[in-house]
């Protein structure tokens, strides 16, 4: 066993001597230095200054530099002097008043038969003498004829129409006589040469016919001479009858009678033969003239194969619907076009117009001669002067809105041309209805009017705040309103109704607005709580409704009747119903003032409904102006308050964050 005082062969350490425990000794405290608290005062002063600065900036209006807004953020405008114009806008498309429509030529020619030909055969009815002459006529033979029919039903060309071989480019400016379109003319030229050959042959045949007629005339004259000679011979033979036998004498006599009859007949045939020859000559002459006229038509058709510009202007190519195409495309070289089909327009750019429409409501304001400014949608920076040239008398239906929108066409003539303005461009026109030079104007949204019978007014900013000022209006447009009286140049006006702005602040931000005002309209529309102060004493502190009930406990009932107001009813209603007074009476309108403390509204309305037929009933409180007037008149002294002096009316809208607006409406 190991020794207990041995651990791993190392002797145990000797025991330490015991030390006396330490005890706390009394020590004198160090001297205490006084602590400096001046920084707290500085912080308080700084916070107060920041709060005052914030309050000053939040409450005080901003400097009026360039019509800036007040702290309440009301947008403003300045009354300035400028030219004011009132306009109405029309929309339409451009067109040309002077233009030439170029169409494929109308071909004129043969009727499907051969060309007229001249016949050289001449016949006569002359009877020739027995010496060899015989009836019949002179036949020189028939020469003529011509090429087959031209088949001009489709322009003298086989196929569906004319083929374009060249055409001027669209948008080109051309002058009178410049070539526009050329059609394929080779086949027509070949036929033209055949025509010319036929005409020359007919002219030769006509010369032959004239010679044949002369031969026939001379042959007939020779037949007359032969008949006369036969007659003379027969008469001489009759003179030899005494020395002849009875049979020979009788034969000579018969021959003499026959010769006499033949001679007389030939003489009578002379005018008939001349008429026949002239008729034959005339017929062949007409045939020759027909062939020559046909030749001229054919030559004219060849000339028509090249179309030329009749006037100076811009070339606008028409469209054609090709087979299989989804939409119409411009005509181009190689297309076949039918007879009389439009190909292009030559537009006189100096005669451009805008064919517009105006709603029938605004049509009564449009007059011929009014000036306008035309703008083209394709060129936003282009403005052209114009004037109203024509106004339609009958409405025109307007596309898909035909059932409920009627429009009247209006034509505006452009007073200045521009090469970029071509037909079928969309555009608009501002027609000047009224113009006032050097007018005092304010933004139109700065003018307010509570009703059709109320005078317009504006909010004008002054040194003490905003004030309401009535104005007399002049002409107005969509942006500006001219002021005839009530403002001066440089006056700053609010472009937003301040009442609505304050209501919006109260609703959206929970802002409390205190109004120190005598404007009853502001108080009634903005405030729910009213405080009336006179001589420093509060004589009323309650809601707006309580104010109305206390000072003027009446209501106004306005009735619109379906029949004229009964005179007896109007006279007796006050006696039958205490506290009811007729304040207004018209043909179909009856207004009553009811003291609610003495008479029930239900009883009054029931009495009227029982007596007559009512179309509409309106029940309203008296306006706050009457309450203020009653307070001014001393009717508010119910509690013994002195109201001989006009009291101050302070109104509170709601409570969250407080701002102040002194002096007038806001």
């Amino acid at each position: 066993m190991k020794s207990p005082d041995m651990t791993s062969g190392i002797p145990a350490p000797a025991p330490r001597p015991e030390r006396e425990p330490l005890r706390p000794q009394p020590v004198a405290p160090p001297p205490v230095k006084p602590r400096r608290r001046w920084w707290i005062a500085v912080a308080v002063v700084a916070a107060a200054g920041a709060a005052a600065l914030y309050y000053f900036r939040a409450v005080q209006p901003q400097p009026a530099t360039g019509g800036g807004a007040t702290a309440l953020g009301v947008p403003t405008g300045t009354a300035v002097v400028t030219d004011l114009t009132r306009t109405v806008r029309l929309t339409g498309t451009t067109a040309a008043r002077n233009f030439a429509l170029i169409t494929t030529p109308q071909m004129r020619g043969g009727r499907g038969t051969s060309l007229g030909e001249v016949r050289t055969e001449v016949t006569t009815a002359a009877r020739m003498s027995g010496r060899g002459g015989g009836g019949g006529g002179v036949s020189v033979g028939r020469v003529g004829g011509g090429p087959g029919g031209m088949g001009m039903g489709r322009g003298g060309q086989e196929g569906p129409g004319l083929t374009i071989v060249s055409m001027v480019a669209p948008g080109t400016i051309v002058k009178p006589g410049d070539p526009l379109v050329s059609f394929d003319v080779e086949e027509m030229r070949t036929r033209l040469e055949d025509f010319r050959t036929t005409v020359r042959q007919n002219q030769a045949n006509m010369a032959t016919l004239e010679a044949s007629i002369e031969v026939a005339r001379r042959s007939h004259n020779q037949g007359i001479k032969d008949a006369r000679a036969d007659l003379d011979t027969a008469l001489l033979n009759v003179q030899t009858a005494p020395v002849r036998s009875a049979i020979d004498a009788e034969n000579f006599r018969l021959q003499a009678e026959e010769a006499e009859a033949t001679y007389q007949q030939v003489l009578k045939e002379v005018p008939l033969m001349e008429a026949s020859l002239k008729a034959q000559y005339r017929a062949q002459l007409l045939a020759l003239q027909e062939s020559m006229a046909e030749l001229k038509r054919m030559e004219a058709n060849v000339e028509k194969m090249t179309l030329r510009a009749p006037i100076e202007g811009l070339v606008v190519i028409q469209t054609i619907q090709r087979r299989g195409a989804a939409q119409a495309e411009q005509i181009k070289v190689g297309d076949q076009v039918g007879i009389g089909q439009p190909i292009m327009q030559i537009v006189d750019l100096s005669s451009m117009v805008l064919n517009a429409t105006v709603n029938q409501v605004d049509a009564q304001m449009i007059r011929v001669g009014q000036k306008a400014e035309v703008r083209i949608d394709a060129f936003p920076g282009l403005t052209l002067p114009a004037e109203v040239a024509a106004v339609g008398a009958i409405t025109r239906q307007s596309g898909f809105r035909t059932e409920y929108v009627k429009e009247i066409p209006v034509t505006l003539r452009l007073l200045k041309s521009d090469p970029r303005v071509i037909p079928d461009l969309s555009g608009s026109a501002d027609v000047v209805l009224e113009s006032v030079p050097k007018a005092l104007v304010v933004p139109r949204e700065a003018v307010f009017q509570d009703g059709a019978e109320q005078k317009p007014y504006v909010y004008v900013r002054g040194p003490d705040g905003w004030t309401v000022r009535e104005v007399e209006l002049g002409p107005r447009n969509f942006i500006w309103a001219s002021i005839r009286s009530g403002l001066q140049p440089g006056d700053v006006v609010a472009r937003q109704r301040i009442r609505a702005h304050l209501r919006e602040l109260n609703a959206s931000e929970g802002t409390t607005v205190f109004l120190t005002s005598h404007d009853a309209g502001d108080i009634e529309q903005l405030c729910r709580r009213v405080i009336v102060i006179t001589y420093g004493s509060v004589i009323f502190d309650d809601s707006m409704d309580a104010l109305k009930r206390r000072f003027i406990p009446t209501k106004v009932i306005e009735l619109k009747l379906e029949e004229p107001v009964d005179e007896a009813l109007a006279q007796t209603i006050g006696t039958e119903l205490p506290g009811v007074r007729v304040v207004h009476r018209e043909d179909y309108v009856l207004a009553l003032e009811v003291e609610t403390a003495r008479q029930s509204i239900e009883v009054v309305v029931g009495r009227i409904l029982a007596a007559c037929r009512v179309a509409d009933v309106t029940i309203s409180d008296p306006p706050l102006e009457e309450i203020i007037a009653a307070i001014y008149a001393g009717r508010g002294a119910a509690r013994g308050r002195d109201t001989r002096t006009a009291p101050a009316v302070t109104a509170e809208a709601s409570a969250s964050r407080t701002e102040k607006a002194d002096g007038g409406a806001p």
Side-chain angles (χ1 to χ4, degrees):
M1 295 181 60
K2 293 181 179 181
S3 175
D5 53 354
M6 299 291 292
T7 57
S8 304
I10 299 176
R16 296 180 179 181
E18 295 183 358
R19 304 177 68 177
E20 188 176 351
L22 296 177
R23 295 181 180 180
Q25 299 294 326
V27 179
V32 179
K33 298 181 178 181
R35 302 182 63 180
R36 298 180 180 179
R37 301 181 181 274
W38 58 269
W39 62 272
I40 298 177
V42 172
V44 170
V45 172
L53 179 62
Y54 171 80
Y55 175 82
F56 178 81
R57 290 185 176 180
V59 173
Q60 296 302 321
Q62 298 297 325
T65 58
T70 64
L72 291 177
V74 179
T76 62
T78 305
V80 297
V81 177
T82 185
D83 295 338
L84 176 69
T85 57
R86 186 167 66 95
T87 62
V88 61
R89 174 158 294 188
L90 314 181
T91 58
T93 56
T94 58
R97 185 172 55 179
N98 298 331
F99 66 93
L101 183 63
I102 308 302
T103 62
T104 54
Q106 183 69 39
M107 297 290 104
R108 299 184 181 277
R111 303 173 182 85
T113 61
S114 62
L115 182 66
E117 55 182 352
V118 176
R119 299 173 180 269
T120 59
E121 181 177 323
V122 178
T123 59
T124 64
R127 298 186 62 183
M128 311 312 292
S129 64
R131 286 187 285 170
V138 179
S139 177
V140 186
R142 170 179 148 182
V143 182
M150 289 298 297
M152 303 301 292
R154 295 295 294 177
Q157 175 173 314
E158 297 179 0
L162 302 178
T163 302
I164 300 176
V165 295
S166 66
M167 184 170 59
V168 68
T172 304
I173 302 296
V174 296
K175 296 182 178 180
D178 290 349
L180 300 175
V181 182
S182 296
F183 301 97
D184 186 10
V185 75
E186 292 302 324
E187 181 182 358
M188 190 171 292
R189 286 178 178 172
T190 302
R191 291 177 178 270
L192 178 60
E193 291 301 323
D194 293 340
F195 269 50
R196 288 172 177 166
T197 301
T198 300
V199 170
R200 287 194 293 268
Q201 183 63 52
N202 283 343
Q203 290 174 342
N205 289 348
M206 195 66 188
T208 303
L209 176 63
E210 292 175 353
S212 299
I213 290 176
E214 184 63 24
V215 169
R217 184 177 289 111
R218 292 185 179 184
S219 176
H220 188 266
N221 291 337
Q222 184 62 40
I224 294 175
K225 293 178 180 180
D226 290 344
R228 180 63 186 177
D230 291 343
L231 178 58
D232 291 342
T233 301
L235 293 177
L236 291 175
N237 290 335
V238 171
Q239 292 178 2
T240 63
V243 295
R244 301 286 186 175
S245 63
I247 296 176
D248 292 336
E250 185 64 23
N251 288 334
F252 288 151
R253 187 182 64 80
L254 294 175
Q255 290 176 1
E257 291 178 357
E258 182 180 359
E260 178 68 23
T262 300
Y263 178 69
Q264 294 298 328
Q265 181 178 355
V266 172
L267 291 178
K268 293 179 180 180
E269 289 177 353
V270 171
L272 299 177
M273 186 198 67
E274 287 296 332
S276 175
L277 293 177
K278 290 180 179 180
Q280 294 179 63
Y281 179 81
R282 181 64 178 168
Q284 302 310 310
L285 180 62
L286 291 175
L288 176 62
Q289 292 175 350
E290 180 184 357
S291 63
M292 295 178 67
E294 192 72 20
L295 175 62
K296 291 181 179 180
R297 285 193 291 265
M298 190 62 185
E299 291 174 345
N301 289 339
V302 174
E303 291 294 330
K304 291 178 181 178
M305 293 297 100
T306 299
L307 303 180
R308 300 184 180 275
I311 62 173
E312 181 179 358
L314 178 74
V315 175
V316 180
I317 304 299
Q318 302 295 306
T319 58
I320 187 174
Q321 186 69 39
R322 295 187 177 89
R323 181 177 299 177
Q327 58 184 1
E329 301 176 358
Q330 282 189 338
I331 297 175
K332 60 183 181 180
V333 174
D335 288 338
Q336 286 188 337
V337 290
I339 302 302
Q341 179 176 343
I343 301 176
M344 64 179 65
Q345 281 186 351
I346 307 300
V347 177
D348 183 5
L349 295 180
S350 63
S351 66
M352 295 300 295
V353 298
L354 182 72
N355 292 327
T357 56
V358 60
N359 192 290
Q360 61 181 354
V361 177
D362 300 326
Q364 59 182 351
M365 300 184 294
I366 306 298
R367 296 291 184 270
V368 174
Q370 289 176 331
K371 302 302 180 181
E373 288 186 349
V374 172
R375 294 174 177 83
I376 306 301
D377 296 340
F379 309 105
L382 179 61
T383 302
L384 299 174
E387 68 176 6
V388 178
V391 180
I394 302 176
T395 59
R396 184 176 63 185
Q397 293 182 346
S398 173
F400 69 95
R401 302 178 298 175
T402 57
E403 295 182 357
Y404 58 93
V405 173
K406 300 295 182 181
E407 295 179 336
I408 293 178
V410 178
T411 301
L412 296 105
R413 180 171 62 90
L414 301 185
L415 301 179
K416 182 180 178 181
S417 60
D418 189 280
R420 293 173 291 177
V421 180
I422 61 175
D424 297 329
L425 293 180
S426 61
S428 61
D430 291 330
V431 180
V432 179
L433 304 178
E434 190 176 6
S435 179
V436 181
K438 296 182 179 180
L440 180 64
V441 300
V442 296
R444 182 161 182 171
E445 63 269 22
V447 180
F448 308 100
Q449 192 170 8
D450 296 332
E453 299 180 356
Q454 302 295 325
K455 292 184 178 181
Y457 60 91
V458 296
Y459 290 100
V460 182
R461 187 170 65 188
D464 298 329
W466 296 95
T467 59
V468 178
R469 189 180 301 175
E470 293 183 353
V471 294
E472 181 183 357
L473 295 180
R476 290 167 289 178
N477 58 18
F478 295 109
I479 300 175
W480 302 101
S482 63
I483 306 298
R484 291 175 178 171
S485 64
L487 289 179
Q488 297 295 328
D491 287 346
V492 178
V493 296
R495 298 205 325 264
Q496 186 181 63
R497 191 183 293 266
I498 299 178
R499 296 172 181 174
H501 183 68
L502 295 177
R503 255 196 313 268
E504 181 181 354
L505 286 176
N506 177 253
S508 61
E509 302 181 12
T511 303
T512 299
V513 180
F514 287 90
L515 297 178
T516 303
S517 174
H518 295 280
D519 191 325
D522 290 341
I523 299 173
E524 187 171 12
Q525 294 193 25
L526 291 175
C527 303
R528 293 190 295 271
R529 179 183 174 189
V530 179
I531 302 175
V532 181
I533 303 174
T534 180
Y535 280 104
S537 300
V538 176
I539 65 172
F540 181 84
D541 183 0
D542 207 334
S543 65
M544 179 67 66
D545 293 337
L547 177 68
K548 292 181 179 180
R549 289 193 303 269
R550 174 181 173 184
F551 288 99
I552 299 184
T554 62
K555 290 185 178 293
V556 177
I557 303 176
E558 183 177 352
L559 303 106
K560 294 182 180 179
L561 309 178
E562 295 182 354
E563 55 190 3
V565 177
D566 188 1
E567 187 71 19
L569 174 64
Q571 293 178 356
T572 59
I573 191 171
T575 58
E576 295 181 359
L577 300 175
V580 178
R581 183 172 63 91
V582 177
V583 295
H584 178 70
R585 182 177 62 194
E586 205 172 339
D587 294 339
Y588 292 86
V589 177
L590 180 64
L592 306 175
E593 184 183 65
V594 181
E595 297 181 19
T596 55
R598 300 177 58 192
Q599 191 60 254
S600 171
I601 297 295
E602 292 78 3
V603 174
V604 177
V605 174
R607 173 68 177 83
I608 299 298
L609 292 176
C612 54
R613 293 181 296 175
V614 178
D616 189 16
V617 178
T618 302
I619 302 175
S620 60
D621 293 323
L624 189 60
E625 284 85 349
E626 296 184 8
I627 301 177
I628 301 300
I631 297 175
Y632 288 174
R635 292 171 59 183
R639 296 183 180 180
R641 306 298 183 183
D642 186 2
T643 58
R644 291 174 295 177
T645 304
V649 181
T650 301
E652 179 185 355
S654 70
S656 173
R657 182 172 62 86
T658 303
E659 290 184 4
K660 180 180 180 183
D662 292 331

